[in-house]
């Protein structure tokens, strides 16, 4: 069992202020709850209006491909524009794009290509906003007088709870008023999130634009972007995490945007049951995050991570493929959520430990791009498989691939780095190295 990690010290004399941290938690709660409405509302809207799982997959492809592009190039932009400004602008544009879908539909003007384009705009700007809030977490934890692992656990728990609430509300609203109403509510939530971030993060220096080294130019932008990629490639642990999550995110995108909505429509009785399944997953994910935040640091991260990923992955695909009633899948979704809730606090803490503050926007941007690289293909592949071979075959293929992917932490030595203590801080005059390289230069023995 690893030793307890040392606390993250707060500079002497800094006044404790929990307002910015609370504001970001509230903004994330509102924004993610709204996004959960869209997660259910858009696929259901497409299935009801077109009757095609393939078209639902195309919309998912259009919504997620720009996410990868934005994450790929957005790190330096976040630093230059400022994390507070990027977060607010991202939410406002997402609100306008999502709100335009029902308005155009009510006016009789909505074409399928318009829906794809609006979802692409939303996907393009949504990830930079999430990244901007995410990379602020260590500074906000410091302002609030708490540790990064505790703040990361709370941040993830709030996000999980928001998804649970959003999914439950989406199921009720779709059943009562239709998918169009759900999308209008989501547009309002984005506006509220933007307002909170704009008002309450004014006093946080790291939320403002960061001065560029050597002036603003395409060459300096390219150098900063390359710096993030170089850091990721040199770290075997972070690269392994990125590749694994890249695979599971693609499979999860196919699950959430096509496979589960199709299964819900054909076997579970409609949008209400679909919302219940996602709420169960979100509720138990919240419980898992809280449990990890309270006791998780007592156990080896690698063991918890591997067990949690196995529990949250392939089982739900197999149960959905082999049963046509709600109860078995409901129990499975609860178990999967409990495991999933423990994953992000582990990964978030490791990222904060491994990546220097001045590189976080860039490194988090490129890791997000890598993690989301297969998401466009996941939704598209799921839609084509359902149309071509049926939902059962698609579910079994996705579940088998998921199982093979989640064995990686048990098979590859680089994952032992999950249990390592945080590396020493890197000064700005010293080149930024990944955790494994810094450990090799330190008298402290490596965990590998």
């Amino acid at each position: 069992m690893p030793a307890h990690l040392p606390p993250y010290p707060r500079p002497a004399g800094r006044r404790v202020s929990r307002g910015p941290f609370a504001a970001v938690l509230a903004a994330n709660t509102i924004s993610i709850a709204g996004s959960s409405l869209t997660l259910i509302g858009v696929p259901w809207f497409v299935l009801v209006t077109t009757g095609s799982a393939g078209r639902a997959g195309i919309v998912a492809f259009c919504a997620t491909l720009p996410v990868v592009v934005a994450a790929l190039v957005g790190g330096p932009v976040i630093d230059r524009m400022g994390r507070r400004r990027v977060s607010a602008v991202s939410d406002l544009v997402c609100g306008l794009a999502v709100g335009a879908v029902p308005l155009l539909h009510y006016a009789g003007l909505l074409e399928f290509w318009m829906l794809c384009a609006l979802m692409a705009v939303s996907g393009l700007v949504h990830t930079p906003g999430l990244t901007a809030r995410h990379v602020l977490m260590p500074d906000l934890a410091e302002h609030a007088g708490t540790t990064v692992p505790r703040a990361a656990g709370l941040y993830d728990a709030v996000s999980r709870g928001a998804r649970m609430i959003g999914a439950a509300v989406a199921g009720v609203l779709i059943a009562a008023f239709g998918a169009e109403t759900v999308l209008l509510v989501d547009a309002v939530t984005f506006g509220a999130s933007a307002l909170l971030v704009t008002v309450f993060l004014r006093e946080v220096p790291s939320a403002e634009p960061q001065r560029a080294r050597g002036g603003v130019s395409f060459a300096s932008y390219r150098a900063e972007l390359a710096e993030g990629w170089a850091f990721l490639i040199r770290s075997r642990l972070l690269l392994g995490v990125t590749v694994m999550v890249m695979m599971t995110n693609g499979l999860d995108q196919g699950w959430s945007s096509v496979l589960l909505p199709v299964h819900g429509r054909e076997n579970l009785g409609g949008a209400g049951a679909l919302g219940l399944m996602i709420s169960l997953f979100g509720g138990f994910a919240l419980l898992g995050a809280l449990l990890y935040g309270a006791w998780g640091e007592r156990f080896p991260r690698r063991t918890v991570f591997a067990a949690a990923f196995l529990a949250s992955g392939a089982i739900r695909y197999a149960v959905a493929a082999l049963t046509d009633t709600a109860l078995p899948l409901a129990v499975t979704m609860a178990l999967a959520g409990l495991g999933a809730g423990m994953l992000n606090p582990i990964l978030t803490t490791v990222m904060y430990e491994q990546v220097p503050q001045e590189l976080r926007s860039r490194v988090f941007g490129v890791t997000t791009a890598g993690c989301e690289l297969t998401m466009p293909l996941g939704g598209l592949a799921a839609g084509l498989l359902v149309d071509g071979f049926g939902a059962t075959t698609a579910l079994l293929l996705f579940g088998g691939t998921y199982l093979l992917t989640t064995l990686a932490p048990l098979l590859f030595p680089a994952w032992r780095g999950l249990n390592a203590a945080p590396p020493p801080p890197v000064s700005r005059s010293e080149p930024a190295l990944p955790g494994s390289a810094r450990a090799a230069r330190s008298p402290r023995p490596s965990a590998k």
Side-chain angles (χ1 to χ4, degrees), residues 32-41 159-178 182 185 260 270-284 333:
I32 291 175
S35 296
S36 294
L37 301 180
T38 301
L39 178 68
I40 298 176
S159 300
R160 300 285 186 181
R163 290 188 182 95
M164 173 190 67
I165 296 169
V169 171
V172 173
L173 289 179
I174 290 175
F177 304 106
V182 164
V185 174
L260 184 59
L274 178 62
L276 174 63
M277 296 300 163
I278 298 177
S279 293
L280 279 171
F281 183 91
F284 276 83
M333 290 293 280

Side-chain angles (χ1 to χ4, degrees), residues 391-428:
T392 299
T393 300
L395 284 163
L396 290 175
L397 286 173
F398 269 57
T401 306
Y402 212 117
L403 176 61
L404 293 176
T405 302
T406 50
L407 294 176
L410 301 175
L411 299 177
F412 297 104
W415 288 87
R416 296 173 188 163
L418 283 177
N419 292 336
V426 178
S427 67
R428 198 59 181 139

Side-chain angles (χ1 to χ4, degrees), residues 195-220:
L195 181 62
L196 281 169
V197 169
T198 300
V199 172
F200 287 96
L201 293 190
R202 292 183 182 276
E203 304 301 322
V204 180
S206 58
E208 300 306 319
Q210 306 298 304
R211 186 181 299 275
R213 289 173 290 157
V216 178
S217 67
F218 178 75
S220 64

Side-chain angles (χ1 to χ4, degrees), residues 5-105:
L5 299 177
Y8 291 74
R10 185 171 69 253
R14 172 167 287 185
R15 181 175 61 89
V16 173
S17 174
R18 295 182 175 87
F21 182 50
V24 167
L25 290 181
N28 252 28
T29 300
I30 295 170
S31 179
I32 291 175
S35 296
S36 294
L37 301 180
T38 301
L39 178 68
I40 298 176
V42 169
W44 201 263
F45 178 80
V46 176
L47 287 173
V48 169
T49 56
T50 70
S52 170
R55 285 205 163 194
I58 292 172
V59 172
F61 176 85
C62 293
T64 51
L65 181 61
V67 171
V68 180
V69 176
L72 182 66
V73 302
V77 174
I78 294 171
D79 285 341
R80 299 289 175 81
M81 288 184 61
R83 295 158 182 173
R84 178 173 64 92
R85 188 178 303 165
V86 167
S87 177
V89 171
S90 168
D91 280 340
L92 288 175
V93 175
C94 284
L96 292 173
V98 170
V101 173
L103 295 178
L104 288 171
H105 178 69

Side-chain angles (χ1 to χ4, degrees), residues 115-142:
L115 175 61
C116 292
L118 289 168
M119 290 299 99
V121 170
S122 178
L124 182 66
V125 300
H126 186 51
T127 293
L130 288 177
T131 302
R133 291 192 292 270
H134 194 198
V135 298
L136 279 171
M137 195 51 52
D139 296 305
L140 297 178
E142 184 180 292

